[in-house]
Amino acid sequence: REAHAHGGGGGDGGGEEDRVRAMEGSGGGRGGWCACIRDADHERAVSILRWANLLNAGLVIFAGVFSLVGIADLAMLRVASIAVSVYLACFGTLLCCFEIRLSFVEKIVRRRFGFMYSFLGRTLFLFFVASFCFARNQTSTIAVGAVTLL
């Protein structure tokens, strides 16, 4: 009976209010970090992240194409360098196709690259793409790799 009076049971939601109050108090300021997340416009955040990923995809494609047109690699037939550049362009295109979400493209991406639809899979993919950027060892590709890691 005493526990019920203090919100400790009975399904009246008092326990939930205590947890929320404790979480809000841990962030400092009015409402703390919990209120900031609760009040955030999630659709706007997703839109901003989608545009950031599209920009990143464009940078990766640019890095792949730009590093491919190096005359030294083509003249000396450095196959590994050329292959890394082509892979970068392909990975950037994959990221772009994933973020555009056109229905006919999404079916193909979901079937063949399902890992892009999980947080862990997409994170590992971005680390993999960044490592390819660093492998080209050019200023532009290293900069794109650093942006990809962000």
Side-chain angles (χ1 to χ4, degrees), residues 30-113:
R30 189 179 97 64
W33 62 270
C34 187
C36 178
I37 292 171
R38 183 179 56 239
D39 297 339
D41 182 9
H42 297 292
E43 290 179 16
R44 184 167 188 260
V46 167
S47 177
I48 290 170
L49 287 174
R50 181 161 289 144
W51 280 105
N53 278 336
L54 280 170
L55 178 65
N56 186 32
L59 287 173
V60 171
I61 293 169
F62 170 76
V65 172
F66 184 73
S67 65
L68 180 64
V69 296
I71 295 173
D73 288 338
L74 294 174
M76 308 266 309
L77 285 176
R78 295 184 182 151
V79 177
S81 297
I82 295 170
V84 168
S85 296
V86 170
Y87 274 117
L88 277 174
C90 290
F91 292 153
T93 303
L94 172 61
L95 186 58
C96 186
C97 288
F98 169 74
E99 288 299 338
I100 288 177
R101 306 265 170 124
L102 295 173
S103 61
F104 68 94
V105 175
E106 188 171 8
K107 289 177 185 176
I108 296 168
V109 172
R110 186 177 292 275
R111 185 175 47 238
R112 299 218 169 111
F113 307 103

